[in-house]
Amino acid sequence: MSGWSPSVLSSSAANYVPTHALARALACGLAIFTMAWAQACVAAGGTAEGAANGTTSAPAAGGTASADDAGLAQRLAAAVPKGTRLVIAEQSGEASAAWKLSGLGQDAPYQATFATFNGGPAVLEALVSGAVDVGYIGEAPIPIAVGAGVKDLVAIAITANPGSPANTYLVVQPNSPVQKVEDLRGKKVAYPAGTGRHMILAGILHGHGMDLRKDVQGVQVPGSEVAPTFSSRAVDAAIVLGHQYFRLGSPPILANGSGHNWGLNPIVARRSALADPAKAAAIADFVRRAVAIYNWQATHADAWIQASYVKLQGLTPAQGRILLDEEGVGAYYPIDGRLTEVFQEISDGLVETGALSRKIDIAPYVDGRYNDIIAAQNRLDGVKLRPLVNDRNVDDGSQRPDSKPFVLK
């Protein structure tokens, strides 16, 4: 359809949490296409055979855009049947805000409906139930969900920002006697189960010789309730996001997420949606736009700070700049052998740190059928992919013998 404008589901979706059944399954896992797509793939420079197998050749990191690349958007849009609808799960309203602000979703040839959910587990629940077609999540929920028995989901596009603190901070109460991570032994720590923050907290504690399951009193709350729980002083510490940190008045930080995550943020789809010719074509177009919008954000920092950090998260422009500079800029990478290897390392790390009860094989849950589209859009936008190694670790000081809490400045 022309004149695109995103629909938004009812306000109840904004406070959506997983059903008790899936929540219990996730907690258990934590504690213990189609012809239309083949045509789109060929249009993007791939092959029908590659589309059928869900694989394409891995593109080079960078390169010069070709005349064929320039026609990519038109070919993908033309492959979408009229009347197609796509429901997209997001968190915090950022995906729909970026689509509108960038102007890159205006001519989408399908009805795009965005639904906002409270955390990755809630997005996964919506996907599993069939309420949405695709969704944005972090790097931890997929392995955790697979460990809990979820089978119908697959990552189809992934951003990576290795070494980033991920705007995630382990904070303690002001004037607390806790001065270093080791002092948390036996203390109450709030975190949202089944999320990237769960993974990062488990990693931080593991790096300091502790186990989240045994050495601290873990208090599991929904993502939006972590900050209020900390503010009420019901816990000694909490793992919070950047906007929550500033809203809490900049409490002392013991450690951040650097070195405990790869900054992976997958777009996940239902396999059944990918098997629908109309939705598969719409998803191909959606992936191209998602890459273009992500690249746009990197080159329009001031506009994105105003739209996201200021308008959506209620921060000042200066605070937004601090968080954006802290997080750094990632990119969409091809889902090739290297990225699958990284995702497997993440999954294995979840087991090692106690966030996942058993090892899983992540390969069946990643799908590189859109690699050629991602590579072409990156070329069009002049994006050069840096090597996918976690070599940007910021020294947060928590490993030093004289470690002391710090604040963001």
Side-chain angles (χ1 to χ4, degrees), residues 121-142:
V123 171
L124 290 175
E125 167 73 5
L127 283 161
V128 170
S129 71
V132 302
D133 301 305
V134 297
Y136 290 86
I137 61 173
E139 62 193 60
I142 287 184

Side-chain angles (χ1 to χ4, degrees), residues 175-199:
N175 303 315
S176 171
V178 175
Q179 295 292 296
K180 53 186 178 181
V181 175
E182 289 80 1
D183 294 340
L184 288 175
R185 195 176 298 274
K187 303 295 186 181
K188 293 182 179 180
V189 184
Y191 68 95
T195 67
R197 279 189 277 171
H198 182 167
M199 176 188 73

Side-chain angles (χ1 to χ4, degrees), residues 210-231:
M210 292 190 289
D211 190 316
L212 174 58
R213 299 163 295 180
K214 300 183 295 185
D215 296 316
V216 301
Q217 298 182 55
V219 179
Q220 296 184 6
V221 295
S224 61
E225 294 301 313
V226 173
T229 300
F230 179 83
S231 181

Side-chain angles (χ1 to χ4, degrees), residues 77-383:
V80 181
K82 291 182 178 180
T84 302
R85 301 180 62 185
L86 201 62
V87 184
I88 305 139
E90 61 175 341
Q91 302 178 52
S92 304
E94 291 194 355
S96 56
W99 273 53
K100 182 177 180 179
L101 180 65
S102 68
L104 295 172
Q106 289 182 349
D107 59 347
Y110 43 86
Q111 180 181 343
T113 300
F114 283 86
T116 299
F117 295 88
N118 182 16
V123 171
L124 290 175
E125 167 73 5
L127 283 161
V128 170
S129 71
V132 302
D133 301 305
V134 297
Y136 290 86
I137 61 173
E139 62 193 60
I142 287 184
I144 291 171
V146 171
V150 174
K151 302 293 185 184
D152 188 44
L153 305 180
V154 62
I156 56 172
I158 303 177
T159 63
N161 189 11
S164 168
N167 279 346
T168 304
Y169 306 94
L170 176 58
V171 299
V172 293
Q173 298 291 350
N175 303 315
S176 171
V178 175
Q179 295 292 296
K180 53 186 178 181
V181 175
E182 289 80 1
D183 294 340
L184 288 175
R185 195 176 298 274
K187 303 295 186 181
K188 293 182 179 180
V189 184
Y191 68 95
T195 67
R197 279 189 277 171
H198 182 167
M199 176 188 73
I200 289 172
L201 173 61
I204 290 172
L205 294 175
H206 182 77
H208 290 265
M210 292 190 289
D211 190 316
L212 174 58
R213 299 163 295 180
K214 300 183 295 185
D215 296 316
V216 301
Q217 298 182 55
V219 179
Q220 296 184 6
V221 295
S224 61
E225 294 301 313
V226 173
T229 300
F230 179 83
S231 181
S232 71
R233 305 189 74 87
V235 294
D236 302 287
I239 190 82
V240 301
L241 299 174
H243 68 279
Q244 296 172 330
Y245 171 79
F246 281 118
R247 288 179 180 174
L248 288 168
S250 303
I253 299 171
L254 295 180
N256 63 32
S258 181
H260 302 289
N261 79 106
W262 282 81
L264 262 60
N265 287 281
I267 295 175
V268 181
R270 292 186 290 110
R271 295 184 195 274
S272 53
L274 294 172
D276 180 310
K279 285 192 182 292
I283 292 171
D285 179 89
F286 168 76
V287 167
R288 186 201 67 78
R289 293 172 193 271
V291 176
I293 290 167
Y294 192 84
N295 295 340
W296 177 92
Q297 290 172 233
T299 57
H300 295 77
D302 290 340
W304 183 238
I305 287 172
Q306 187 65 34
S308 176
Y309 294 99
V310 177
K311 186 174 181 179
L312 289 178
Q313 301 177 21
L315 304 182
T316 67
Q319 291 169 338
R321 172 58 67 180
I322 289 172
L323 294 179
L324 187 61
D325 290 346
E326 278 265 313
E327 184 174 20
V329 177
Y332 276 93
Y333 281 70
I335 300 179
D336 56 9
R338 175 55 183 153
L339 188 56
T340 303
E341 182 181 70
V342 167
F343 216 164
Q344 187 64 55
E345 290 178 15
I346 291 168
S347 178
D348 293 345
L350 289 168
V351 176
E352 183 180 0
T353 60
L356 185 60
S357 62
R358 65 181 178 87
K359 293 191 70 171
I360 64 164
D361 180 11
I362 203 67
Y365 302 95
V366 295
D367 188 324
R369 70 179 69 191
Y370 296 106
N371 281 354
D372 292 337
I373 294 173
I374 292 168
Q377 189 60 51
N378 277 338
R379 287 193 297 268
L380 286 166
D381 295 334
V383 172

